[in-house]
Amino acid sequence: PRPVVRALPPSASALRQRLRQCAERIPEAEAVLDLLEKCPEHQKKGDFPVIVFEGLDATGKTTVTQAVKDTLNGVLLRSPPACISQWRTVFDDEPTPVKRAFYAAGNYILASEIAKASTQAPVIIDRYWHSTAAYTIATETSGKVQDLPPAQDEVYQWPEDLLKPDLVLLLTVDPEERVRRLQHRGLEKTKEEAELEANSLFRQRVEESYRRMVNPACQEVDASPSKEEVLKTVLQLIRKHCA
């Protein structure tokens, strides 16, 4: 298969198999597998809406997700979930198939939390499967946006065995504004964030990959205006799609 298909596990069973293959060498892989075993297969969401926010760093996800959570009196979750976040540095240094299996596993573990939380309140999520897929596709493809897999390719499909959200909102800002926000934050950059800043082609591939996702697709939101304006736009979209 093409590199991007090899890198992206298409199901929970595929990523389990990949983690088992390296569990003897990486003890943390065994720990992730233990957490996955506790997650029921084919999670079902509750009656409350599940809303995902996607986008590059410094597009306002943290601010917007917190504001939406407070407004809707909801629950805020993040991917990868807190129970495995401590192992990110271990897996970030591993070969691509292992690294991507870790991040994919985070989505299935998160799905278990979503299923439970959505029976009690609206669920707001800071990144989910689309992030895993978009960064994988952009990393495993070199060159320009035109070099990405074609728009209808299987890599843009949501996994059949992963709980789906009701709405996915993709926050975007002008590249210069995003860099200004990053500098203002002064936080230590991840390797991928450093790559985004240094390599405009990589950034374009990530954003275009987000736009090509289907079932569910991303609804794009311009996050350049004031926090109040962005929140107003987001709440209108939530009312429209999650009545």
Side-chain angles (χ1 to χ4, degrees):
R2 291 162 297 137
V4 68
V5 176
R6 275 203 310 273
L8 201 57
S11 65
S13 60
L15 69 89
R16 280 194 185 100
Q17 187 178 355
R18 207 176 284 184
L19 289 171
R20 281 192 200 102
Q21 287 169 350
C22 63
E24 282 189 24
R25 184 173 59 83
I26 311 170
E28 291 84 357
E30 191 65 59
V32 174
L33 281 164
D34 287 344
L35 288 167
L36 277 169
E37 290 305 318
K38 293 171 186 167
C39 301
E41 287 189 36
H42 299 288
Q43 302 280 357
K44 294 269 195 303
K45 74 174 211 63
D47 292 332
F48 286 90
V50 175
I51 302 133
V52 177
F53 287 84
E54 295 284 6
L56 307 181
D57 280 0
T59 50
K61 287 192 308 303
T62 302
T63 303
V64 175
T65 50
Q66 188 62 51
V68 173
K69 171 199 171 279
D70 294 343
T71 305
L72 300 184
N73 197 21
V75 175
L76 178 57
L77 300 174
R78 289 186 175 86
S79 180
C83 59
I84 67 167
S85 285
Q86 68 221 22
W87 302 319
R88 285 180 75 163
T89 50
V90 173
F91 287 93
D92 279 348
D93 287 333
E94 288 296 323
T96 296
V98 175
K99 176 181 176 180
R100 296 306 171 189
F102 167 75
Y103 282 100
N107 292 309
Y108 285 90
I109 294 166
L110 183 65
S112 191
E113 297 178 19
I114 296 166
K116 187 176 178 183
S118 61
T119 62
Q120 298 162 351
V123 180
I124 317 304
I125 308 169
D126 185 343
R127 293 193 167 171
Y128 195 21
W129 176 262
H130 284 344
S131 276
T132 303
Y135 278 87
T136 304
I137 294 162
T139 303
E140 295 304 305
T141 309
S142 56
K144 300 179 180 179
V145 164
Q146 297 93 297
D147 299 309
L148 288 169
Q152 307 306 317
D153 196 280
E154 64 186 300
V155 296
Y156 303 115
Q157 287 280 348
W158 191 271
E160 288 184 6
D161 61 348
L162 180 62
L163 183 148
K164 282 184 192 175
D166 295 291
L167 180 63
V168 182
L169 299 175
L170 173 64
L171 303 184
T172 60
V173 295
D174 181 85
E176 289 77 17
E177 167 66 10
R178 201 182 68 81
V179 171
R180 190 189 65 75
R181 290 182 184 184
L182 275 172
Q183 290 167 343
H184 181 70
R185 275 161 46 167
L187 299 175
E188 188 179 342
K189 298 186 191 81
T190 62
K191 280 201 292 192
E192 277 172 344
E193 182 51 51
E195 175 77 359
L196 283 171
E197 199 168 318
N199 187 338
S200 64
L201 287 178
F202 178 63
R203 186 181 68 244
Q204 289 165 23
R205 293 198 304 271
V206 173
E207 287 204 315
E208 182 57 27
S209 296
Y210 273 129
R211 292 185 179 111
R212 293 185 184 186
M213 298 293 166
V214 292
N215 193 28
C218 298
Q219 305 269 335
E220 201 163 332
V221 175
D222 179 9
S224 304
S226 68
K227 289 182 258 189
E228 293 75 18
E229 286 179 75
V230 175
L231 178 59
K232 184 180 174 184
T233 301
V234 162
L235 292 173
Q236 284 172 344
L237 284 166
I238 292 170
R239 275 195 291 272
K240 179 182 175 183
H241 294 278
C242 307

